[in-house]
Amino acid sequence: MFKKITFNAIVLLVFNLTFYQASAQTHQAVSSINNELSVPEELLTTWELDEAASMEYAKKSAHWNEHIANLMPKLIATNKQIKYRFNKDEMVTIEAVKEHELAISLTKQTLTSYIFKFEFDDKPKQLQVIKAAGGRINIQADGLLGYQFLLWKKGRERLTGV
């Protein structure tokens, strides 16, 4: 009986060590890949504000109150003409015919978010893109006040030259 328990304990220990090593190697490989990635393929498109989804998203927020309820229509009106396009190693802000490119570099990726680094006024900053329901994203960075309540959807491609 003692031999069987000892044997099972050794098998379990070897299994756990093997699993731990495999997990550590996988984490190291993912971290290595993350350092080499620029913008993930699923973000490589133009994103436009999803007004209805943003309002519902805000209402479900723990921060929802009367003040935010009054600010949301203004926040949506201010941002509905803005689009974001992710390219290989940049995020482009599109407002009417003006475009502003921002060089970004992926620093961390999880199942639910991406974290990019960028520089603004020669200072390192962080941009977070959080995956939301329905293929939407939430974009957050320092200085983007109210953006925690906004959801962006993939822009509709427009056909040209019919």
Side-chain angles (χ1 to χ4, degrees):
M1 176 90 160
F2 179 73
K3 288 181 183 180
K4 187 174 183 181
I5 293 172
T6 303
F7 177 74
N8 287 342
I10 291 173
V11 169
L12 187 60
L13 179 64
V14 169
F15 175 76
N16 285 335
L17 286 174
T18 304
F19 179 76
Y20 174 77
Q21 287 176 340
S23 175
Q25 288 172 349
T26 301
H27 177 72
Q28 185 178 17
V30 168
S31 296
S32 172
I33 289 169
N34 283 347
N35 291 335
E36 297 170 9
L37 287 177
S38 52
V39 174
E41 190 172 328
E42 72 178 312
L43 295 179
L44 295 176
T45 190
T46 300
W47 298 86
E48 58 189 33
L49 185 64
D50 189 329
E51 298 174 44
S54 294
M55 188 59 86
E56 288 303 312
Y57 188 66
K59 287 178 181 178
K60 293 178 183 176
S61 166
H63 303 289
W64 181 256
N65 59 32
E66 187 177 328
H67 177 70
I68 293 171
N70 292 331
L71 287 177
M72 279 303 291
K74 295 172 190 168
L75 185 62
I76 288 173
T78 302
N79 287 283
K80 71 180 182 181
Q81 299 303 320
I82 298 173
K83 295 180 183 177
Y84 293 99
R85 183 179 65 236
F86 286 90
N87 295 332
K88 181 182 173 191
D89 56 0
E90 67 183 3
M91 182 179 80
V92 180
T93 303
I94 306 163
E95 191 170 3
V97 294
K98 295 179 187 176
E99 292 189 7
H100 175 74
E101 295 88 12
L102 178 66
I104 59 175
S105 176
L106 183 65
T107 59
K108 184 177 180 183
Q109 177 178 346
T110 68
L111 292 175
T112 59
S113 68
Y114 301 102
I115 297 177
F116 299 92
K117 66 180 178 180
F118 67 96
E119 285 192 13
F120 186 74
D121 290 337
D122 295 326
K123 295 180 183 165
K125 301 283 183 180
Q126 183 172 293
L127 172 79
Q128 184 175 18
V129 177
I130 302 166
K131 297 178 189 180
R136 295 173 188 87
I137 60 172
N138 174 261
I139 302 170
Q140 296 185 27
D142 293 337
L144 295 178
L145 300 176
Y147 267 55
Q148 69 268 27
F149 303 114
L150 300 179
L151 291 180
W152 305 85
K153 63 183 177 180
K154 291 183 179 183
R156 296 179 300 250
E157 298 296 323
R158 304 208 183 350
L159 298 176
T160 59
V162 177

